Amino acid sequence: MLNPDNTFTATVLGLPRIGANRELKRAIESYWAGRLDAAGLHQVARELRTTQLTAARDAGLDSIPVGTFSYYDQVLDTAVLLGALPQRVAGIADELDRYFAAARGNAEVAPLEMTKWFDTNYHYLVPELAADTVFSLHPDKPLTELKEALALDVPARPVIVGPITFLKLAKSVDGSDLLNRLPDLLPLYEQLLGLLAEAGATWVQIDEPSLVTDLTAAEFDAVRTTYQRLSEVSARPSILVATYFGRVGAALSALADTAIEGIAVDLVAGGDADVAAAQSITDKLIVAGVVDGHNVWRVDPDHALPRLTGLRDAGVRVAVSSSCSLLHVPYSLDPETDLDARLRSWLAFGAEKIAEIRVLATALTAGEAAVAGDLEIARTAVLDRKADPRLKVQAVRDRLAALDADAARRTPADERRVLQQERLNLPLLPTTTIGSYPQTSRIRVARAELRRGEIDQAEYDVRMRAEIAEVIALQEEIGLDVLVHGEPERNDMVQYFAEQLDGFAATVNGWVQSYGTRCVRPPIVYGDVVRPAVMTVDWITYAQSLTDKPVKGMLTGPVTILAWSFIRDDQPLADTARQIALAIRDETVDLETAGIGIIQVDEPALRELLPLRKADQAAYLEWAVEAFRLSTAGVADTTQIHTHLCYSEFGEVIGAIAGLDADVTSIEAARSHMEVLDDLNAAGFDLGVGPGVYDIHSPRVPGAEEIEQSLSRALKAVPAERLWVNPDCGLKTRRTDEVTASLRNLVAAAKALR
Ligand code: GLN
Ligand code: ZN
């Protein structure tokens, strides 16, 4: 029988793992490079866990997630737990090597595919399952980490990915319905619950973020039967099923029908309907995610506390929590001493969020007076943020309000095509690249020297110009038709613009894991967006001055800038998007005025921001497309607008791609074998298109014949007048020799077909 007093009041749903100073990233990369052995890597990992768990305990959390640590990814860890790694890595004897081979491949085997974790910028590895996958339990990791935490006197709550989410996120390699595999997985979960209880766990957290997506009737049934069945295990910890990243809706009542002990709900993303529904669940612990684990803003106590007390007064047992794992926010504000003090006071990163949760939990249990000082500070910050003039720049708002529908519209595409062709006089099947050229060691050295103050900005600019000159010369020599400047001056395609726009702030150490050892430092959009000065014109006009061929201006689109930033939570995303769109629009006009005839506005993240629930998707696509069009419709008909899309299955956004109305769209297709062209045709797309014919994700140099074949296939779907020839993404991760050889073949293929 479960102890009815087995409860807690303050927790988070998961902890970050990369290390406050990216220690784990460095250790893993050293291990890969052979500079650190497995024992050394495990030692670093143990130390990181120890520091973090004891810090969370000392900060006053009375239940702490354990097992959210990972060497690469929690979904891959779950595949290991369930014995579900693909056959092709099974032969690798060493456990760590096998794990990393599944994660990133090696000379012999391809890795698992990687894709976005719900609506975050974290990417997980996609398990490959089939009707005949044989599952088996390998509980070493959760058990070891549990024991380690208990030995530290940490109130540990093991966390595992739930069976429904695991199956829904996996890829069916034989086309079979993976939900049918649930009966084979459940005995393993039952066994694991027993083992965890035996090892001393009083609670277990089973993550089911999939429950915030649209579920079928069969899936709702699966929720009920799965959790009813797991609740019937005789000796087990109390079960907390964690949902997050959206409103849980009907799945909440499915969970409430079962005999589990707790449910975590994301009240930040979920909203009032979920709060109301949770109020009737009086026989379970409701872990109320009122502190945003997905964004960096300080919680408003006057928003969170009424929800918490409302639940309590309805007779619900409540614990205060982050809305999701803290994996998605930086560790701590401590290193951010460069941030504007006012802005800093509005923010909460991981450590600060834990403190907020403790304060709210105390206010809830002991009354506001017990934490009056902390609440006062929080309220002052929230009010100060609302009052800051940078959040409401009237000029931008007036300008947006005054725009008419025509601002986002160009003349019909076929008229533009004629005018642009007159101006540009391009050959049939024009060749081009996506923007970046290899990030050479010279570029990295210059950046490091600038950062360390060893060279000044002027010297840095001289060196970047030299890179540009080299890239232009290389492209001329290869014989490409539309050139790019190579983007050497850009650290990152979003950060580069964020640094130059008002309303954005950058952090010095605000790293979050993107995948594996790759971390990103998303900028923070905190205010109205204004472009105080031109951003790219000098670089592009310099590049254009070196050649008679057209050089593309290169910008990042509003949706992608938003998708890779921490966003404002005080106004609709669409409003922020329109402001960024205006800034990009002004830049396109300035490029045009400076004589640039082709401008590319990249939107690789168009698919990324697509809402998890179908019902919300159309509204998103409408404002996303509108923002892109606003960005690009300020130029004359003779200026050719390009866009670039990648990283995704385009199925759900194919109609929106047509809606962008870009004169030319370069789109990742090298790996999806051109199917995307048929999809575009079906959506009525009739603009210029460059399906990628060179897979830049691989070091392999494609032969001219192979590229010719790809193009011939493309010509079956697209008339030659509309077809462009280009790689499937930017070249910055490749080596110069690979790129040179591949582009020579690409040009040769285009010439042969002409
Ligand atoms: N213009 C960018 C580049 O070439 C596009 C990058 C991207 O698609 N992510 O690097
Ligand atoms: Zn790309």
Side-chain angles (χ1 to χ4, degrees):
M1 261 288 84
L2 294 166
N3 169 6
D5 296 332
N6 179 21
T7 194
F8 55 85
T9 63
T11 192
V12 294
L13 294 189
L15 293 164
R17 52 214 182 199
I18 208 77
N21 294 301
R22 291 180 297 156
E23 293 87 345
L24 185 64
K25 168 197 173 69
R26 273 190 274 274
I28 293 173
E29 287 175 353
S30 299
Y31 173 77
W32 290 343
R35 294 191 303 268
L36 184 69
D37 63 8
L41 176 58
H42 293 318
Q43 177 63 23
V44 171
R46 219 167 14 245
E47 282 165 12
L48 284 171
R49 290 193 297 258
T50 302
T51 315
Q52 195 166 39
L53 292 174
T54 51
R57 178 198 63 199
D58 296 346
L61 298 187
D62 55 2
S63 178
I64 295 175
V66 161
T68 59
F69 174 86
S70 179
Y71 280 128
Y72 208 96
D73 165 49
Q74 68 272 13
V75 181
L76 178 60
D77 294 340
T78 312
V80 171
L81 172 73
L82 301 172
L85 285 185
Q87 207 46 49
R88 63 181 179 278
V89 300
I92 303 171
D94 180 80
E95 215 180 312
L96 258 186
D97 290 347
R98 186 165 62 237
Y99 180 83
F100 286 130
R104 47 200 299 267
N106 64 25
E108 283 91 43
V109 303
L112 294 177
E113 275 172 31
M114 193 165 63
T115 195
K116 246 172 96 75
W117 176 244
F118 299 90
D119 58 354
T120 70
N121 284 326
Y122 176 78
H123 300 75
Y124 71 93
L125 290 161
V126 183
E128 295 170 9
L129 305 179
D132 61 358
T133 303
V134 181
F135 297 115
S136 57
L137 190 68
H138 303 265
D140 287 2
K141 179 181 181 292
L143 288 175
T144 309
E145 289 179 29
L146 170 62
K147 288 176 192 159
E148 183 185 276
L150 292 174
L152 292 167
D153 220 12
V154 162
R157 184 180 77 239
V159 179
I160 50 179
V161 175
I164 295 168
T165 294
F166 180 72
L167 292 175
K168 273 187 71 85
L169 295 183
K171 162 173 152 180
S172 171
V173 292
D174 60 355
S176 64
D177 181 357
L178 294 180
L179 205 59
N180 293 336
R181 302 306 315 274
L182 207 45
D184 303 305
L185 278 186
L186 291 185
L188 274 56
Y189 277 86
E190 289 171 334
Q191 204 186 330
L192 180 62
L193 291 181
L195 292 171
L196 291 171
E198 232 172 80
T202 54
W203 277 92
V204 62
Q205 172 181 326
I206 307 184
D207 280 354
E208 291 285 15
S210 280
L211 301 196
V212 309
T213 63
D214 296 325
L215 299 182
T216 61
E219 287 166 341
F220 278 115
D221 282 347
V223 173
R224 267 189 215 92
T225 49
T226 295
Y227 286 99
Q228 189 51 37
R229 191 165 148 188
L230 293 182
S231 72
E232 283 160 10
V233 172
S234 55
R236 62 165 176 88
S238 297
I239 296 174
L240 166 68
V241 174
T243 69
Y244 44 88
F245 297 144
R247 60 177 189 276
V248 53
L252 188 58
S253 43
L255 287 173
D257 288 347
T258 70
I260 59 170
E261 286 74 22
I263 305 173
V265 280
D266 178 340
L267 297 183
V268 175
D272 293 329
D274 280 352
V275 180
Q279 279 181 354
S280 62
I281 306 176
T282 50
D283 65 337
K284 304 190 194 311
L285 180 69
I286 294 296
V287 174
V290 290
V291 167
D292 197 346
H294 194 174
N295 209 337
V296 292
W297 305 104
R298 194 189 253 282
V299 69
D300 180 353
D302 293 322
H303 187 60
L305 271 175
R307 287 180 157 190
L308 294 168
T309 50
L311 284 165
R312 183 199 56 199
D313 296 346
V316 175
R317 269 187 308 137
V318 192
V320 183
S321 174
S322 58
S323 59
C324 60
S325 169
L326 298 184
L327 180 66
H328 310 293
V329 289
Y331 269 70
S332 157
L333 271 173
D334 281 347
E336 304 305 330
T337 47
D338 289 354
L339 273 185
D340 162 75
R342 208 166 164 188
L343 165 60
R344 193 173 188 272
S345 76
W346 310 335
L347 300 174
F349 290 178
E352 294 79 23
K353 286 182 189 292
I354 290 177
E356 290 183 313
I357 289 164
R358 187 58 262 165
V359 167
L360 291 172
T362 304
L364 187 65
T365 51
E368 290 199 22
V371 281
D374 293 303
L375 290 175
E376 174 65 27
I377 293 172
R379 288 183 169 124
T380 307
V382 168
L383 284 177
D384 179 66
R385 180 175 165 210
K386 285 193 181 130
D388 192 295
R390 293 172 294 178
L391 271 66
K392 206 162 182 253
V393 178
Q394 206 50 48
V396 184
R397 292 176 177 239
D398 289 348
R399 201 176 149 203
L400 278 170
L403 286 178
D404 58 20
D406 282 347
R409 203 175 304 135
R410 301 187 78 194
T411 22
D414 37 359
E415 288 173 38
R416 290 177 344 233
R417 190 180 309 147
V418 175
L419 296 170
Q420 290 163 15
Q421 186 51 19
E422 268 168 28
R423 171 179 184 182
L424 296 166
N425 196 19
L426 293 168
L428 208 57
L429 306 177
T431 54
T432 190
T433 55
I434 306 304
S436 58
Y437 270 72
Q439 288 268 332
T440 61
S441 56
R442 277 193 317 253
I443 298 176
R444 279 192 291 272
V445 167
R447 252 204 264 299
E449 289 183 0
L450 179 68
R451 205 170 40 240
R452 290 195 298 262
E454 292 162 19
I455 57 171
D456 60 8
Q457 187 67 41
E459 167 64 15
Y460 177 78
D461 289 355
V462 167
R463 293 199 199 171
M464 293 305 117
R465 284 183 170 229
E467 294 294 325
I468 290 173
E470 211 159 282
V471 166
I472 293 288
L474 177 67
Q475 294 171 89
E476 288 212 304
E477 195 248 312
I478 291 173
L480 288 151
D481 302 307
V482 172
L483 312 194
V484 295
H485 78 296
E487 305 179 22
E489 81 290 8
R490 302 186 187 179
N491 40 6
D492 172 278
M493 64 185 290
V494 168
Q495 189 161 350
Y496 181 75
F497 291 97
E499 281 171 2
Q500 300 187 69
L501 290 169
D502 290 351
F504 279 87
T507 63
V508 290
N509 201 46
W511 296 101
V512 292
Q513 186 177 19
S514 172
Y515 63 87
T517 61
R518 169 135 174 93
C519 302
V520 292
R521 226 165 4 129
I524 301 168
V525 201
Y526 66 88
D528 280 357
V529 177
V530 176
R531 185 193 70 139
V534 294
M535 302 185 283
T536 63
V537 173
D538 286 353
W539 297 109
I540 305 298
T541 49
Y542 171 68
Q544 183 65 81
S545 75
L546 303 172
T547 176
D548 293 333
K549 299 255 178 87
V551 174
K552 283 195 273 195
M554 194 56 62
L555 303 171
T556 303
V559 177
T560 299
I561 291 181
L562 266 188
W564 296 348
S565 300
F566 287 116
I567 53 180
R568 289 179 75 162
D569 62 352
D570 60 335
Q571 67 180 22
L573 211 50
D575 292 359
T576 312
R578 281 161 63 80
Q579 294 182 354
I580 301 173
L582 273 191
I584 300 299
R585 178 185 180 98
D586 290 347
E587 189 73 12
T588 61
V589 171
D590 285 338
L591 283 164
E592 179 183 77
T593 308
I596 301 302
I598 306 183
I599 302 168
Q600 179 171 313
V601 178
D602 290 327
E603 283 292 22
L606 180 67
R607 165 75 183 72
E608 285 193 20
L609 278 185
L610 193 70
L612 298 174
R613 293 212 185 245
K614 274 263 175 309
D616 305 328
Q617 293 178 353
Y620 158 71
L621 289 171
E622 193 177 320
W623 69 249
V625 167
E626 162 84 13
F628 180 88
R629 293 174 65 137
L630 191 55
S631 310
T632 51
V635 295
D637 295 341
T638 45
T639 297
Q640 189 168 68
I641 294 291
H642 288 216
T643 189
H644 168 68
L645 304 164
C646 63
Y647 297 138
S648 54
E649 300 279 320
F650 297 104
E652 290 145 302
V653 301
I654 213 89
I657 296 175
L660 298 178
D661 195 30
D663 298 299
V664 180
T665 300
S666 63
I667 188 161
E668 180 174 338
R671 286 182 299 176
S672 65
H673 308 297
M674 304 273 171
E675 288 147 13
V676 71
L677 293 177
D678 294 329
D679 295 347
L680 280 171
N681 283 342
F685 180 92
D686 61 357
L687 299 140
V689 62
V693 288
Y694 154 29
D695 177 6
I696 65 93
H697 302 90
S698 152
R700 210 174 66 83
V701 173
E705 243 160 68
E706 178 185 336
I707 296 177
E708 223 182 296
Q709 278 163 16
S710 295
L711 289 170
S712 303
R713 249 179 292 135
L715 282 167
K716 296 208 170 80
V718 177
E721 297 67 41
R722 289 207 281 120
L723 188 63
W724 282 66
V725 181
N726 48 257
D728 66 359
C729 196
L731 304 169
K732 77 171 160 216
T733 57
R734 292 266 67 87
R735 291 202 323 248
T736 305
D737 57 335
E738 295 159 1
V739 163
T740 308
S742 302
L743 293 179
R744 278 194 210 293
N745 292 343
L746 182 145
V747 169
K751 285 196 172 141
L753 276 175
R754 280 173 200 157

